[in-house]
Amino acid sequence: MVYAGRFTVSTQGNDDMLDITGSVEQAILESGVVNGIATVFVVGSTAAITTIEYEPGLKQDMASLLERLIPRDAPYAHEARWHDDNGHSHLRASLLGPSLTVPIVNGRMTLGAWQQIILLDFDTRPRTRTVHVQILGE
Ligand code: ZN
């Protein structure tokens, strides 16, 4: 079967990192799927989804890694063209990607004990994000 779940989250933007594992678990529970896969996808070109050990040290490390790779204050053609301020937001989002697929085995995601699903919002202002959880299985 295919189950289409979704939820929304409010973010502060500016590299805000949210643990969305519980909301994804909830969607899997509602789907009734015991064995299959869940694809978690955030709508928008300035946010991303991945996994991490969700703790304050890594939260800080991720922000500083992305600042080194894709600095906020570097010149971006996107900003010159559209007269906005979020060239780095788009590139950070593209680099990490908007989605993640997780196996479901015996009703549970196969995440590690210290592996949480996170949503990162790189835009330069608070946003409301829609996350789709598309579940395939039986
Ligand atoms: Zn833009």
Side-chain angles (χ1 to χ4, degrees), residues 78 84 86 90:
H78 171 78
D84 65 8
N86 67 357
H90 289 285

Side-chain angles (χ1 to χ4, degrees), residues 45-46 78-79 82-90 123:
S45 60
T46 52
H78 171 78
E79 294 178 7
W82 298 101
H83 306 290
D84 65 8
D85 64 351
N86 67 357
H88 68 286
S89 315
H90 289 285
D123 212 347

Side-chain angles (χ1 to χ4, degrees), residues 9 11-17 41-49 66 70 72 78-79 82 84-99 118-130:
V9 292
T11 81
Q12 294 305 306
N14 296 300
D15 300 343
D16 198 6
M17 183 191 285
F41 177 89
V42 60
V43 179
S45 60
T46 52
I49 288 182
L66 291 167
I70 306 170
R72 188 173 302 254
H78 171 78
E79 294 178 7
W82 298 101
D84 65 8
D85 64 351
N86 67 357
H88 68 286
S89 315
H90 289 285
L91 294 174
R92 290 175 186 191
S94 293
L95 186 69
L96 291 176
S99 74
I118 53 165
L119 181 150
L120 289 138
D121 197 325
F122 299 117
D123 212 347
T124 52
R125 61 190 169 87
R127 300 284 305 257
T128 299
R129 297 293 188 175
T130 301

